[in-house]
Amino acid sequence: MIGAIILAAGCSRRFGDDKRRATLANGNLVIQQTLEKAGEVFDDVRLILRREDDEMRALLEPRFPDVTCFHAPDSALGMGHSLANAATRIDDWDGAFVFLADMPFVNTATLARLKSALTRTNIVVPTCNTRPGHPVGFPAGLFDELKRLEGDRGARAIIDAHKDRVLYLAVEDRGVLLDVDLPTDLSTE
């Protein structure tokens, strides 16, 4: 089973408001579209929220009953802490793709291609115009390293430590690079 971890525990400082609730040009919320796309391709989806995100959880659970929501108690310490918290909850998976909740523009065909490229040994990183993007896939053999992450660099340290195992998969999908940091980013699709 290959699942998706969606990191949604950030603070949206640059956006100025909760960007997860921002509305895209097609009428979907940013987080809604990210969840829908991940759910179309991956066998299991886990959403990691901030400790105090009870309202967000209450909003999403009825809409996405197949998504498992968790609160990362130390999310304020950085993305690495949130990802480590998520990794403790996926022992039964063969692999995991780490999504950023504010990247709703990735095509589902791209996600399916990334998923099929993940093996027991490689890390899958999509690239567009030679620039690395998201989501990034990790085999189960690296879950223990994910569980030990700290700080705000996410899984960059794991990728750097296993450069010989990284499969950079070139895609034509700019969505792997596009995140929502500012209100003007909502219509970049």
Side-chain angles (χ1 to χ4, degrees):
M1 173 177 354
I2 297 176
I5 296 170
I6 300 179
L7 298 175
C11 294
S12 306
R13 287 181 186 99
R14 287 180 281 181
F15 192 82
D17 199 2
D18 189 345
K19 64 182 166 185
R20 302 170 302 175
R21 292 177 181 257
T23 304
L24 298 166
N26 64 7
N28 286 341
L29 299 181
V30 169
I31 197 164
Q32 172 190 359
Q33 187 157 304
T34 302
L35 287 168
E36 285 175 358
K37 288 184 175 188
E40 286 182 38
V41 175
F42 292 92
D43 305 314
D44 193 356
V45 178
R46 310 282 169 101
L47 177 65
I48 308 306
L49 299 167
R50 295 187 290 261
R51 179 180 39 181
E52 69 279 1
D53 262 343
D54 294 329
E55 188 178 318
M56 178 62 73
R57 187 173 187 164
L59 171 74
L60 295 173
E61 282 184 329
R63 292 183 185 185
F64 298 96
D66 294 334
V67 172
T68 306
C69 296
F70 296 104
H71 294 274
D74 53 2
S75 61
L77 298 174
M79 187 187 311
H81 290 272
S82 297
L83 184 49
N85 185 272
T88 65
R89 302 165 190 272
I90 59 168
D91 288 332
D92 57 334
W93 292 3
D94 299 312
F97 275 81
V98 177
F99 283 70
L100 305 179
D102 67 350
M103 294 189 73
F105 303 115
V106 181
N107 294 319
T108 53
T110 300
L111 296 177
R113 189 167 165 225
L114 293 170
K115 180 183 176 188
S116 68
L118 186 65
T119 68
R120 291 178 174 239
T121 58
N122 68 350
I123 298 169
V124 177
V125 178
T127 64
C128 183
N129 299 323
T130 70
R131 291 180 47 209
H134 286 90
V136 176
F138 296 91
L142 295 177
F143 287 179
D144 284 341
E145 291 183 46
L146 289 172
K147 291 174 188 177
R148 292 191 298 270
L149 289 173
E150 295 179 335
D152 203 29
R153 287 192 66 216
R156 170 58 49 201
I158 296 172
I159 295 168
D160 291 345
H162 299 282
K163 289 180 183 177
D164 59 324
R165 295 174 62 179
V166 178
L167 168 65
Y168 289 100
L169 189 64
V171 299
E172 298 289 324
D173 182 359
R174 285 183 1 102
V176 302
L177 304 175
L178 300 175
D179 61 345
V180 176
D181 284 333
L182 302 168
T184 55
D185 297 331
L186 294 169
S187 60
T188 57
E189 193 169 25

